[in-house]
Amino acid sequence: MADHDLVVRGATVVDGTGAPRSTADVAVDGPTITAVGRVGGRGRREIDADGLVVAPGWVDIHSHYDGQVLWDPLLAGSSMHGVTTVVMGNCGVGFAPARPEERGWLVRLMEGVEEIPAAVLDAGIEWRWGSFAEYLDALGRRPLAIDVAAQVPHAALRVYVMGERGENHEEAPTDDEIARMGAEVVDALAAGAVGFSTSRSVLHKSSDGRVTPTYGASPAELLGIARAMGTAGLGVFEVVTDFVELDAEFALLRAFCEVSGRPLSVAISERRGEGPGPYRRQLELLEAAVADGVPMRGQVAPRPPGGVMTLDGGRNPLLDLPTYAGLAHLPLPERVAELRRTEVRQRIVGELEALDPKVSTVHIYGRAFPLDDPATYDLSPERSVAGIAARTGRTREAVVYDLLLERDGRAMIYTPGANFDEGTLDVTRELLVHPFTLPGIGDGGAHCTRVCDTSFPTFLVTHWSRDAQPDERLDLEWVVQQQSAETAAWVGLTDRGVVAEGRKADLNLIELERLESRIPEMASDFPLGGRRLLQRADGYHATVVSGEVVVEGGEHTGALPGAVARPAALLRTR
Ligand SMILES: [Zn+2]
């Protein structure tokens, strides 16, 4: 008879609290950590962790797996990057609550805002819920490798209560409708939602071209919902906003938080061409709020959020060129063969060079970087398209063309968007180390063929605790704490995020020297063969969820211990 289900022996434990690492064994029984220290007896399974770092599983508070969770039990790529809990329902979009007549519209909104094709969502979602509680129950019946937690998306809530009128952001809800929205959120929180999310960004549009319905929602609407959440004493807010009238907008968010007494996080970044003024002002207002006891945080990116240009993706500079359009229908290998022909190259590079730089992608060539495998995201200027052009005497257009054809047309060119106006990671670091920010905004599950930031948690460890210049490096203990205990506690999941007796056994066993994000690849594994960028990782020796090894050496083990994480249930059992 074994004494424990699992014993991890001789690990370097970085426990998530920020405490210095120590060598210890970790015993697990059922879904729970039962001992950390010197563990006697034997485990039914023993893992020799000599040389491995054992950390809590990552808790990623910003994903868009709301649809994917219904067809992909692995929630890949997040599960490949050590993430053991994903929070979905961000940015105000999602699929519950939902009436049958609004389903099509919610799908088109997700398609527009998060760039997940409607056809894929239609094929992959079996609608078996009306209320948010029923959605959580539907998720609970799905096979899952890792845990999921969900927020109530404002857009879905709005049309659930207001009907078709709610689709239009210029339509204001009546007092009665605001009260009903509040009541729905309270019911959802009681059933296990982790919070409520909204978007105030004009960039968020449905695929029918209409701006997201929560854009410009009035203080009456938002504060009405906030009051209801305050009464419930549950849940967090997640907000994305353009901060057009910065101070006034921040004041509204702060009021949201003050009226409810509930925590609020808002995405903060240096937007392109804006300089440091706006984000520094946001941090200043954040500091003032926290100093007054208002629980607000900024949600920030561990590396510049960016697009990926690739021949087979939704984003590359050739897409609108006449000669390329004639080849675009060809399967990738044939297309690459055509593109390699000298006369085709000459013609397309010529068309690219003839574009008006004001409207073409040429302006980003100074910030376009071919990714290697593994993808280290080295953003030195000489590695950019513009840098390579200067060095090799080719035009930037010719360089981009040639780069796209590398790796048999599977090359990936990363184009950092926000936080990169200075051409360094300084802004990223400044935002990351700010005492009132949390790592997030990786957008797992979204922007299928255009963005691949699911590897943020891995980059947080590899770059910031290991590869950065010594004077810029951050303690491993600190980055682990940010991505586990801090994010878990933020969304009310106090049962996880720390390697300690009594906590949920969600663990990462990491070969720190080998930890790397691989180059993204274009997978066709979505419903109907839908394509999406997928990124793997090396160096996660094993990832454990509720005591079961779900990923080992980069491969899924077949174990499906994942469940719906419900903060309200934790409060009840306390
Ligand atoms: Zn988002």
Side-chain angles (χ1 to χ4, degrees), residues 238-286:
E238 183 267 345
V239 184
V240 58
T241 171
D242 299 332
F243 278 119
V244 178
E245 306 271 350
L246 202 164
D247 284 29
E249 182 72 355
F250 198 96
L252 175 60
L253 302 187
R254 181 175 164 152
F256 215 62
C257 210
E258 283 174 323
V259 158
S260 64
R262 304 306 308 163
L264 180 148
S265 73
V266 58
I268 296 184
S269 61
E270 179 194 40
R271 276 168 305 184
R272 250 173 63 193
E274 247 185 19
Y279 81 80
R280 291 230 169 102
R281 177 68 184 150
Q282 290 161 37
L283 293 177
E284 222 173 81
L285 292 168
L286 188 62

Side-chain angles (χ1 to χ4, degrees), residues 62 64 90-91 114 238 443:
H62 197 124
H64 295 281
N90 282 285
C91 303
E114 303 296 346
E238 183 267 345
D443 265 358

Side-chain angles (χ1 to χ4, degrees), residues 323 338-348 401:
T323 303
E338 279 298 309
L339 294 169
R340 284 199 175 127
R341 291 171 49 205
T342 311
E343 60 275 26
V344 174
R345 178 182 186 274
Q346 254 165 21
R347 212 174 319 138
I348 293 181
Y401 186 94

Side-chain angles (χ1 to χ4, degrees), residues 149-231:
Q151 297 166 106
V152 184
H154 191 183
L157 177 71
R158 210 171 193 267
V159 293
Y160 189 70
V161 168
M162 294 171 66
E164 214 182 315
R165 262 175 60 240
E167 295 176 10
N168 181 349
H169 79 278
E170 285 169 331
E171 287 280 351
T174 63
D175 289 348
D176 176 58
E177 285 166 336
I178 293 173
R180 276 160 54 208
M181 280 192 234
E184 287 296 331
V185 173
V186 170
D187 286 351
L189 293 170
V194 299
F196 164 84
S197 76
T198 194
S199 164
R200 303 175 60 73
S201 172
V202 75
L203 301 174
H204 283 170
K205 290 194 169 76
S206 162
S207 54
D208 65 16
R210 286 188 291 169
V211 71
T212 195
T214 60
Y215 180 74
S218 68
E221 180 174 346
L222 291 172
L223 299 183
I225 294 167
R227 260 177 220 110
M229 285 177 69
T231 328

Side-chain angles (χ1 to χ4, degrees), residues 9 23 65 87 89 101 117 133 174 189 230 257 264 335 356 375 461 485 574:
R9 295 274 174 208
T23 303
Y65 288 116
V87 178
E101 59 272 25
T174 63
L189 293 170
C257 210
L264 180 148
R335 209 179 334 143
D356 179 351
V461 176
R574 211 171 268 162

Side-chain angles (χ1 to χ4, degrees), residues 447-477:
H447 312 294
C448 297
T449 62
R450 300 166 63 90
V451 174
C452 192
D453 288 341
T454 325
S455 59
F456 275 178
T458 301
F459 185 85
L460 181 61
V461 176
T462 55
H463 180 79
W464 291 113
S465 81
R466 187 190 67 192
D467 299 340
Q469 293 301 316
D471 56 329
E472 293 181 347
R473 221 169 278 162
L474 304 170
D475 288 343
L476 178 64
E477 286 81 352

